[in-house]
Amino acid sequence: MGKKILVTYGTMSGSTAEVAQAVADEIKKEGIEVDVEQVENLKDLQGYDGVILGSAVRMFHILPKTRRFLRKHKRALQEIPVAYFLVCLTMSEDKPENIEQATKFAQPMISTKEPVSLGLFGGCINHEKMTDIFSLPMKQMPEEDHRDWEMIRAWARDLVPKM
Ligand SMILES: Cc1cc2nc3c(=O)[nH]c(=O)nc-3n(C[C@H](O)[C@H](O)[C@H](O)COP(=O)(O)O)c2cc1C
């Protein structure tokens, strides 16, 4: 039987969900079975040969629901290869200091289980999708989308032999 990979993600405004879907679509092209699911919907990780976990960043931290996923599934994650990705405005520019900062955001992930790969991707400001009260101040910022789809797909392809 072939491999089955889970792509799971924590999002507030949907941009991380779209990145998760792009990662999953790219991996599927390699003939791997892939499920895509929000972190809060997963009861267990049974049946998966690897997990790709993505999170949005808010207020210098991965989302609380991503941290809950890490706590809940910590033991199961030790048994299978894991990769992480972040979607955040810090990575709007691929500069060494931004990579350093974003890697710090990922520390709670890395300390749960050492990943085979860490993807750091630029995020979005989309006024229409930022509906929660905490997003109000961010609506002062102009709309922007820093997701580099070719970079995201290349990262996913590179992941396949590592999982
Ligand atoms: C309230 C709020 C706080 C944010 N805080 C940060 C931050 O501290 N660092 C950062 O790099 N990006 C920050 N961002 C940008 C988000 O990471 C970016 O908008 C991302 O695309 C959101 O992902 P989502 O659409 O999946 O929720 C923030 C966005 C919002 C709305």
Side-chain angles (χ1 to χ4, degrees):
M1 225 168 59
K3 274 191 183 170
K4 191 173 177 187
I5 301 283
L6 171 69
V7 180
T8 184
Y9 59 92
T11 185
M12 291 299 286
S13 312
S15 61
T16 306
E18 290 167 357
V19 174
Q21 192 59 55
V23 167
D25 290 346
E26 202 61 26
I27 291 174
K28 270 185 214 161
K29 285 186 197 162
E30 307 288 325
I32 292 172
E33 194 181 340
V34 185
D35 284 347
V36 186
E37 193 53 80
Q38 301 199 48
V39 281
E40 57 268 46
N41 292 346
L42 284 153
K43 287 203 176 69
D44 62 59
L45 305 182
Q46 228 168 353
Y48 294 113
D49 301 299
V51 171
I52 301 168
L53 168 65
S55 187
V57 171
R58 279 197 172 193
M59 307 310 290
F60 308 101
H61 292 90
I62 55 170
L63 299 181
K65 56 185 166 187
T66 309
R67 290 204 294 271
R68 278 197 291 278
F69 173 91
L70 288 165
R71 279 199 300 275
K72 184 173 171 185
H73 301 288
K74 184 171 183 171
R75 207 176 288 173
L77 290 172
Q78 308 312 312
E79 309 298 324
I80 47 178
V82 176
Y84 303 123
F85 69 86
L86 293 185
V87 179
C88 63
L89 283 182
T90 301
M91 287 308 295
S92 303
E93 260 191 278
D94 200 1
K95 295 192 291 193
E97 57 266 42
N98 294 348
I99 293 170
E100 193 184 332
Q101 168 80 280
T103 304
K104 281 187 190 150
F105 299 153
Q107 270 316 308
M109 300 162 121
I110 295 166
S111 64
T112 300
K113 165 85 192 270
E114 192 69 34
V116 297
S117 181
L118 173 65
L120 301 171
F121 307 129
C124 293
I125 296 292
N126 180 327
H127 293 174
E128 207 175 291
K129 289 187 178 164
M130 293 181 350
T131 48
D132 64 293
I133 190 156
F134 302 106
S135 293
L136 285 177
M138 297 296 274
K139 290 195 177 180
Q140 304 301 316
M141 288 181 70
E143 294 205 304
E144 47 193 271
D145 187 346
H146 297 279
R147 292 171 298 174
D148 177 339
W149 296 106
E150 199 32 65
M151 183 192 182
I152 290 163
R153 284 191 287 265
W155 180 76
R157 280 194 299 276
D158 181 58
L159 215 49
V160 171
K162 298 179 182 165
M163 298 292 292

